[in-house]
Amino acid sequence: MSAVPVILLLSGSLRAGSTNEAVLRTAQVMAPSVQACAVMYDGLAELPHFNPDDDTDPLPPPVARLRAAIEGAHGILICTPEYAGTLPGSFKNLLDWTVGGTEICDKPVAWVNAAAPARGQGAEATLRAVLGYTGADIVESACVKAPVDRRTVGADGLIDDAEVRRQLGDALNLLAAAGEQAPVGDLA
């Protein structure tokens, strides 16, 4: 494939300066080193509450933008916190909006669990269940546990921990390689 694979970065956190966002911002900076382009999705807060009655054409504009971003990506990398043993409601809402479309079906997807050791399994289990239901292609080898200590996030918002950066590089490389084989819509 001649085009550089586009990896869509989805943060499950609405908190400004979250460690989940720092993980994805770091991945975005690192993507060129694996011959990929990483694009941060920033529309989580604008998505309406999921209602199946609204999952028809024309879609609400924020939902149409989400689905277009997914369709135009070769792969998706997620980093989300865990709240009350599962995904944050706003991120589950994002995933609910993907169920009625086909854009995520067969799309290579992976996640980074940045939670402290022995945390985040509920979010991972929910991601696995919902993404499996949507038909996403979970790239198991690219799903990593990379605990992030807030003290390793620099003033630039990037993670400077060498091991976390190595894990992110490996995950991006595996996801980009899987994405080169994925069906992709028109890149907007």
Side-chain angles (χ1 to χ4, degrees), residues 38-61:
V39 177
M40 184 74 76
Y41 172 75
D42 62 0
L44 181 62
E46 285 77 42
L47 289 171
H49 295 292
F50 177 73
N51 179 342
D53 292 339
D54 296 334
D55 197 1
T56 60
D57 287 327
L59 289 168

Side-chain angles (χ1 to χ4, degrees), residues 9-30 38-45 77-81 83 91 112-115 146 148 150 152-159 164-165 168:
L9 306 173
L10 298 177
S11 175
S13 179
L14 289 171
R15 179 180 293 176
S18 75
T19 54
N20 299 279
E21 183 179 319
V23 165
L24 295 177
R25 293 258 178 242
T26 304
Q28 188 174 32
V29 169
M30 295 177 65
V39 177
M40 184 74 76
Y41 172 75
D42 62 0
L44 181 62
L77 183 63
I78 297 168
C79 191
T80 182
Y83 289 126
F91 194 69
V112 177
N113 177 348
V148 174
R150 189 168 297 283
T152 66
V153 179
D156 58 0
L158 302 176
I159 297 167
V164 171
R165 290 178 76 94
L168 285 176

